Amino acid sequence: MTTEDILKLSLDMADLKEVPADTAVYCPGRGIRRVLAGIDIDGAELLLAREQGFDLALAHHPGGGTAVLRWDEVFVRHVELMVRAGVPEDVAQAAVEEKLFEDRIVGQTRNYDRVPALARLLGIAYMNIHTPLDEIGRRRMAAAAGELPSRATVADLIAHFRARFGEFHHALTEIQCPVGGTDNRLGRVAVAHGAGTNGGYPVAKAYFDHGVDTLIYIHCQPSVVRQLTREYGVKGKNLVVTGHIASDSVGINPFLDRLRELGLEVIALGLVGP
Ligand SMILES: [Fe+2]
Ligand SMILES: [Fe+2]
């Protein structure tokens, strides 16, 4: 297989037509048989991959180049997800503006070629697949949440996720409900994932103000939790935070299994097993 074949497979599994801006092949490769896959691939992992005879180092998070510089383009996916959940388009658009503004400016600080340059020097194929795998994870979580009636509680959702996904069962992190409470009814649920990173306060607020009762993020800043709790209290609205590495693994594992079915040897580094 080539790095292009592997990229195409991820797009197909996520039903995406184009390569998202946060996904890239930094060092193309062909005849790939052994893959080292991790959420973050840095210099140490590249050296390990090279030393142990892997053909490809496959990361989830962006490792450099335009995938770190232009990744605000995938943050806009939050708008699509919000609109699908019933948020008016102008409100959804306004909810992402500040983060887009910040990221465009912060992008200037990035040492964007550090890891790709190392891969080129080592002569090892190196790529990352971010949004396609998060989209696979989002769909799996949304489907699981959809299996519960709206009168179910947040505690039921957490129990269901733990039963349904080995990743949540095996992870060292717990699924938390830092805004609202586990005794609350679920009501309408939305999974805001697969859009670069979590949507912070403005995106959560847009969901809560337009009919969503329980919002799922995979991670969340403490200041956002405080702000949402101040605004919505503990009674109606719930923010469920499923845990970064466990939730990334929910999207990555089915893809790695598919690569294995196609005959590749895949060693996963630092993922939570299914
Ligand atoms: Fe992810
Ligand atoms: Fe992640």
Side-chain angles (χ1 to χ4, degrees):
M1 281 185 100
T2 67
T3 39
E4 284 306 313
D5 297 333
I6 290 170
L7 182 58
K8 173 79 167 53
L9 179 69
S10 73
L11 297 180
D12 290 348
M13 283 181 74
D15 275 328
L16 293 172
K17 301 269 174 292
E18 284 168 18
V19 180
D22 64 351
T23 295
V25 174
Y26 308 101
C27 258
R30 45 181 52 248
I32 292 162
R33 294 167 61 184
R34 298 189 70 220
V35 180
L36 182 70
I39 292 179
D40 292 289
I41 297 286
D42 226 320
E45 288 86 357
L46 283 181
L47 282 169
L48 176 84
R50 177 68 207 265
E51 188 193 275
Q52 300 207 347
F54 288 95
D55 305 307
L56 168 69
L58 169 62
H60 176 51
H61 293 157
T66 54
V68 298
L69 297 177
R70 285 180 26 212
W71 86 308
D72 50 298
E73 289 173 29
V74 301
F75 192 74
V76 175
R77 285 173 55 84
H78 274 298
V79 174
E80 193 185 318
L81 295 175
M82 281 186 276
V83 167
R84 232 185 278 165
V87 179
E89 188 153 3
D90 57 327
V91 175
Q93 196 65 49
V96 300
E97 281 309 325
E98 181 62 19
K99 175 78 174 151
L100 292 180
F101 165 77
E102 284 174 12
D103 284 355
R104 271 181 218 119
I105 291 172
V106 170
Q108 299 280 19
T109 64
R110 303 301 298 260
N111 184 3
Y112 58 82
D113 200 34
R114 187 171 71 96
V115 187
L118 181 61
R120 290 195 298 273
L121 198 61
L122 289 169
I124 184 165
Y126 173 42
M127 69 191 293
N128 92 289
I129 307 178
H130 192 231
T131 286
L133 304 189
D134 282 344
E135 174 60 14
I136 294 169
R138 186 193 66 78
R139 288 175 183 213
R140 296 185 78 201
M141 286 193 271
E147 289 161 4
L148 294 162
S150 60
R151 63 173 193 285
T153 63
V154 172
D156 294 332
L157 175 86
I158 293 172
H160 187 57
F161 271 31
R162 281 176 57 87
R164 187 87 152 46
F165 301 106
E167 290 86 348
F168 293 128
H169 189 75
H170 297 130
L172 296 182
T173 49
E174 295 289 337
I175 300 177
Q176 298 177 345
C177 178
V179 179
T182 51
D183 294 337
N184 288 346
R185 291 275 165 92
L186 276 184
R188 273 188 57 207
V189 182
V191 182
H193 176 46
T197 189
N198 77 71
Y201 167 78
V203 168
K205 178 177 169 53
Y207 278 108
F208 287 159
D209 289 348
H210 294 89
V212 168
D213 305 295
T214 301
L215 180 66
I216 299 178
Y217 275 176
I218 71 159
H219 45 56
C220 188
Q221 302 85 331
S223 60
V224 171
V225 168
R226 285 204 196 283
Q227 210 172 347
L228 290 171
T229 302
R230 263 198 304 275
E231 191 160 337
Y232 296 95
V234 292
K235 287 281 174 241
K237 306 292 184 181
N238 311 294
L239 177 71
V240 172
V241 179
T242 51
H244 185 181
I245 300 309
S247 309
D248 271 349
S249 298
V250 166
I252 297 168
N253 285 330
F255 177 67
L256 298 187
D257 282 343
R258 186 80 190 99
L259 291 180
R260 291 182 184 109
E261 282 166 19
L262 292 169
L264 298 189
E265 183 193 342
V266 182
I267 301 297
L269 201 59
L271 288 163
V272 185

